[in-house]
Amino acid sequence: MAMEFAKFPERFSLGMGDRFAQQGRAQLEACLKAKKAGVEITPVWNKSAREHAIVGSRPADVRREADEAVAALGWDGVYFVDADHIRMETVDAFIWPCDFFTIDVADSIGKPVDEAALDRFCSEAGDCGGAFGLTRRSVRRIASKYLAAVQEAARIMMRIRNTKGHSAFVIEVSMDETDTPQTPDELFVILSALAHEAVGLDTIAPKFTGRFNKGVDYEGDVGQFEREFEADIEAIRLAVKRYGFPPHLKLSVHSGSDKFSLYPVIRRVLARTGAGVHLKTAGTTWLEELIGLAEAGGEGLALAKEIYAEALEHLEELCAPYAAVIDIDPARLPAASDVAGWDSQRFVAALRHDPACPDFNPDLRQLLHVGYKIAAKMGERYLRLVRACEETVSRNVTLNLFERHIRPLWLD
């Protein structure tokens, strides 16, 4: 079966989460600044079913935010709205408003697969040409682990295709929210299986070695990451040549915000290989909203402190859904009574991701990263203050994306 491919992002693309759909223009301004500096970056607004449920929004709200930002700022490049981490039970609500679909099949990894289907794939794949030292035995072992996940991706893709028809959309397959990283040889077999199932793939998000915790820097062996990242790119290059994937197929790095130690590494590998990358920054915009509120002082600072106090009180409840991507030591979280006495400068210093600042507190930052549920419960009270503090909030959102993410990864 021939695979069909849609319009696609530029070589570099940026996933921009916006919990409360207030920062579309500020986010797009960062991409415009990059364009003026000579680098085309495709903006992709993303939001998951879990985030919609917590905030009380709908996928159509993200489409509206993106379209309005593009119209207001005169963006003339491609842009997308991403149904982030969708599964079969959540995909339907996203199909019409979205044109980028991050299909999350992590839960299907390791599930039993029909032996006849496994035999058919292995007969076709053989030893995958011996790439990465693969043998028929190792291909079967890897396929036994991942084929059910690949088949689930194919089912979800067909659900989208059958509803949208031949409207253009991007497909990303995500396997990052699992315990064990995929090695380059495993990635190559996965790509072979995706081709076998006729999944028209545009990006793929494996789980990389090391910890990609929300809102803080990478933890792990940077040298090992560099070697594996480049080997993953080679797996994609071979898959494009051998299996007919589109030339724009690229890696996607999830929980990619604030991974400052990796940006020089990724930049070097991209320069050596000519490859592209999709970087998802997710909840970092929400944290910049809080920083903007705190910087504004007065009622904004008071609300930021209130959100922290409430998040601290509900620590376990907030952290449970994100256990795989946060590491918080409760002993390093300041008491709410202490935070209540902080001025704007002290609160911002604790929250803003500046590793050189002695007051930066990564545990506090991670807690507030997952604490957007507290703000969501405040509803219009929170949104009113964000709008009232628009100048400080939007300035921080744009600066964070451009100076801390885009510049070190694609410009410096």
Side-chain angles (χ1 to χ4, degrees):
M1 177 179 177
M3 291 182 284
E4 298 178 20
F5 306 110
K7 67 175 183 176
F8 52 89
E10 299 285 351
R11 178 185 172 199
F12 306 134
S13 50
L14 186 66
M16 307 185 301
D18 188 3
R19 302 288 195 243
F20 298 98
Q22 301 294 303
Q23 305 307 321
R25 295 187 190 186
Q27 293 170 321
L28 187 57
E29 185 64 43
C31 294
L32 280 167
K33 288 169 73 71
K35 189 172 185 178
K36 290 175 184 176
V39 178
E40 294 276 353
I41 297 172
T42 300
V44 181
W45 280 271
N46 53 268
K47 197 168 184 179
S48 68
R50 175 171 60 190
E51 290 158 6
H52 281 297
I54 289 173
V55 173
S57 57
R58 299 173 300 170
D61 298 327
V62 184
R63 167 57 63 187
R64 187 178 308 110
E65 177 191 18
D67 290 347
E68 289 177 355
V70 164
L73 298 184
W75 178 260
D76 60 1
V78 294
Y79 66 100
F80 295 87
V81 173
D82 179 10
D84 195 17
H85 284 282
I86 53 160
R87 301 178 184 184
M88 187 63 82
E89 63 269 23
T90 57
V91 65
D92 286 350
F94 291 87
I95 290 178
W96 286 117
C98 296
D99 50 9
F100 190 122
F101 295 88
T102 297
I103 299 174
D104 185 345
V105 293
D107 283 353
S108 295
I109 294 173
K111 284 190 174 180
V113 63
D114 177 72
E115 284 294 319
L118 180 62
D119 288 342
R120 284 193 297 273
F121 168 70
C122 290
S123 175
E124 178 184 297
D127 64 356
C128 288
F132 302 98
L134 287 163
T135 64
R136 287 180 177 273
R137 177 174 295 182
S138 60
V139 167
R140 189 176 187 91
R141 172 181 53 78
I142 294 168
S144 297
K145 182 177 181 180
Y146 289 104
L147 188 56
V150 168
Q151 291 173 334
E152 181 66 5
R155 283 190 287 269
I156 296 172
M157 186 202 71
M158 288 307 301
R159 179 65 164 262
I160 299 165
R161 173 66 72 200
N162 289 340
T163 304
K164 288 184 82 76
H166 291 282
S167 299
F169 60 86
V170 167
I171 289 291
E172 172 173 302
V173 171
S174 166
M175 296 185 174
D176 67 300
E177 292 195 354
T178 186
D179 293 333
T180 307
Q182 289 96 46
T183 56
D185 60 330
E186 289 178 322
L187 179 61
F188 191 69
V189 174
I190 291 166
L191 289 166
S192 176
L194 286 164
H196 177 79
E197 296 292 334
V199 177
L201 195 65
D202 298 282
T203 75
I204 187 163
K207 180 176 177 62
F208 298 104
T209 294
R211 292 285 293 179
F212 283 74
N213 289 335
K214 297 287 187 182
V216 292
D217 204 353
Y218 174 77
E219 292 185 14
D221 185 330
V222 174
Q224 182 182 0
F225 172 85
E226 181 170 6
R227 291 188 294 273
E228 292 183 359
F229 190 76
E230 188 158 1
D232 285 344
I233 287 174
E234 175 63 12
I236 286 176
R237 188 192 68 79
L238 286 174
V240 167
K241 182 178 180 181
R242 185 168 298 171
Y243 302 124
F245 287 110
H248 64 259
L249 177 61
K250 61 186 177 182
L251 288 172
S252 179
V253 181
H254 284 203
S255 296
S257 65
D258 301 273
K259 303 304 178 281
F260 301 147
S261 62
L262 292 186
Y263 297 158
V265 166
I266 294 173
R267 183 172 171 79
R268 284 198 302 270
V269 174
L270 297 182
R272 286 197 298 265
T273 62
V277 72
H278 180 59
L279 184 81
K280 283 198 173 183
T281 60
T284 189
T285 288
W286 138 252
L287 292 177
E288 296 305 316
E289 282 185 347
L290 273 185
I291 287 171
L293 289 176
E295 272 193 351
E299 196 177 353
L301 175 60
L303 189 69
K305 291 178 180 179
E306 183 182 339
I307 290 171
Y308 174 74
E310 189 78 7
L312 189 62
E313 187 175 338
H314 294 88
L315 174 66
E316 292 185 9
E317 171 194 338
L318 292 172
C319 292
Y322 295 92
V325 286
I326 55 173
D327 284 315
I328 296 174
D329 182 352
R332 293 199 292 260
L333 292 169
S337 57
D338 292 339
V339 173
W342 289 356
D343 61 12
S344 290
Q345 184 177 0
R346 180 70 180 84
F347 191 97
V348 169
L351 180 54
R352 178 176 285 147
H353 191 176
D354 180 2
C357 176
D359 290 326
F360 171 57
N361 187 321
D363 298 274
L364 175 145
R365 182 173 171 84
Q366 289 180 88
L367 174 58
L368 284 173
H369 194 291
V370 300
Y372 69 96
K373 187 175 184 179
I374 306 300
K377 289 180 179 178
M378 294 178 173
E380 187 57 30
R381 179 183 168 214
Y382 173 76
L383 296 177
R384 177 184 62 81
L385 265 180
V386 169
R387 290 191 287 266
C389 301
E390 180 182 356
E391 190 280 324
T392 55
V393 169
S394 63
R395 172 169 47 79
N396 277 286
V397 169
T398 301
L399 183 146
N400 175 62
L401 282 178
F402 183 72
E403 295 293 343
R404 300 192 187 99
H405 294 82
I406 292 173
R407 183 179 291 284
L409 186 53
W410 290 306
L411 288 171
D412 284 346

XYZ file of all heavy atoms in Angstrom, residues 26 65 68 80 114 152 186 203 249 254 257 267 279 336 345 351 371 397 408:
150
model
N 2.205 36.127 21.637
C 3.535 36.220 22.245
C 4.419 35.067 21.790
O 5.621 35.241 21.557
C 3.413 36.234 23.766
N -7.127 30.208 18.701
C -5.984 30.966 19.192
C -4.895 31.066 18.127
O -4.348 32.151 17.878
C -5.410 30.304 20.443
C -4.169 30.999 20.981
C -3.447 30.191 22.055
O -3.689 28.974 22.162
O -2.627 30.792 22.771
N -6.026 33.277 15.097
C -6.069 34.692 15.448
C -4.667 35.282 15.571
O -4.418 36.416 15.147
C -6.851 34.885 16.741
C -8.359 34.657 16.577
C -9.120 34.776 17.880
O -8.469 34.949 18.942
O -10.366 34.699 17.850
N 0.627 24.834 12.434
C -0.208 23.668 12.713
C -0.821 23.743 14.109
O -0.307 24.441 14.989
C 0.626 22.380 12.606
C 1.147 22.096 11.226
C 2.351 22.641 10.801
C 0.430 21.305 10.346
C 2.838 22.401 9.528
C 0.911 21.053 9.066
C 2.113 21.592 8.651
N -0.475 -10.655 17.455
C -0.896 -11.847 16.727
C 0.300 -12.490 16.036
O 1.055 -11.818 15.318
C -1.966 -11.454 15.695
C -2.398 -12.625 14.844
O -3.099 -13.496 15.369
O -2.007 -12.659 13.654
N -1.420 -0.148 16.498
C -2.333 0.814 17.102
C -2.186 2.190 16.442
O -3.177 2.880 16.181
C -2.076 0.920 18.608
C -2.983 1.888 19.351
C -4.443 1.467 19.384
O -4.776 0.360 18.906
O -5.257 2.260 19.887
N 16.423 -0.495 17.551
C 14.985 -0.654 17.788
C 14.204 0.371 16.978
O 13.156 0.052 16.398
C 14.677 -0.509 19.278
C 15.156 -1.673 20.115
C 14.882 -1.474 21.594
O 15.021 -0.335 22.081
O 14.539 -2.465 22.266
N 6.959 12.801 11.654
C 7.919 12.896 12.752
C 7.724 11.694 13.668
O 6.652 11.086 13.707
C 7.773 14.209 13.581
O 6.619 14.104 14.419
C 7.647 15.418 12.699
N 11.013 13.575 7.005
C 10.840 12.827 8.256
C 11.935 13.202 9.250
O 13.120 13.228 8.910
C 10.888 11.322 7.976
C 10.793 10.393 9.193
C 9.486 10.574 9.945
C 10.962 8.936 8.766
N 10.319 15.380 22.886
C 9.259 15.757 23.810
C 9.846 16.221 25.144
O 10.976 15.882 25.485
C 8.320 14.582 24.042
C 7.390 14.333 22.894
N 6.192 13.666 23.034
C 7.464 14.678 21.584
C 5.576 13.601 21.861
N 6.338 14.197 20.963
N 11.475 21.562 26.487
C 11.755 22.888 27.040
C 12.829 22.802 28.120
O 12.928 21.799 28.837
C 10.483 23.506 27.622
O 10.017 22.771 28.733
N 22.303 21.010 18.241
C 22.725 21.932 17.179
C 23.906 21.364 16.392
O 23.938 21.415 15.155
C 23.083 23.282 17.776
C 23.465 24.329 16.746
C 23.625 25.694 17.412
N 24.191 26.662 16.492
C 23.515 27.294 15.541
N 22.226 27.036 15.386
N 24.111 28.169 14.758
N 10.846 20.328 18.289
C 11.052 20.467 19.729
C 9.745 20.874 20.382
O 9.164 21.906 20.040
C 12.122 21.522 20.017
C 12.498 21.685 21.500
C 13.487 20.591 21.916
C 13.084 23.065 21.764
N 4.914 27.480 52.443
C 4.053 28.529 51.896
C 4.167 29.810 52.702
O 4.088 30.917 52.152
C 2.609 28.035 51.859
N 10.949 40.053 43.110
C 12.262 39.616 42.654
C 12.611 38.241 43.192
O 13.138 37.393 42.474
C 13.315 40.642 43.080
C 14.708 40.339 42.563
C 15.712 41.426 42.936
O 15.362 42.417 43.588
N 16.962 41.246 42.526
N 11.601 30.855 40.552
C 10.840 30.160 39.511
C 11.524 30.166 38.144
O 11.484 29.170 37.422
C 9.452 30.797 39.389
C 8.495 30.211 38.342
C 8.314 28.709 38.528
C 7.153 30.926 38.408
N 1.239 22.442 38.390
C 0.228 23.075 39.226
C -0.755 23.945 38.484
O -1.530 24.685 39.115
N 7.025 35.518 27.930
C 6.758 34.372 27.053
C 7.630 34.436 25.804
O 8.286 33.461 25.429
C 5.261 34.322 26.675
C 5.021 33.294 25.561
C 4.414 33.970 27.891
N 19.725 29.409 21.289
C 20.820 28.433 21.468
C 20.676 27.189 20.581
O 21.679 26.559 20.255
C 20.719 28.055 22.949
C 19.329 28.386 23.350
C 18.930 29.574 22.528
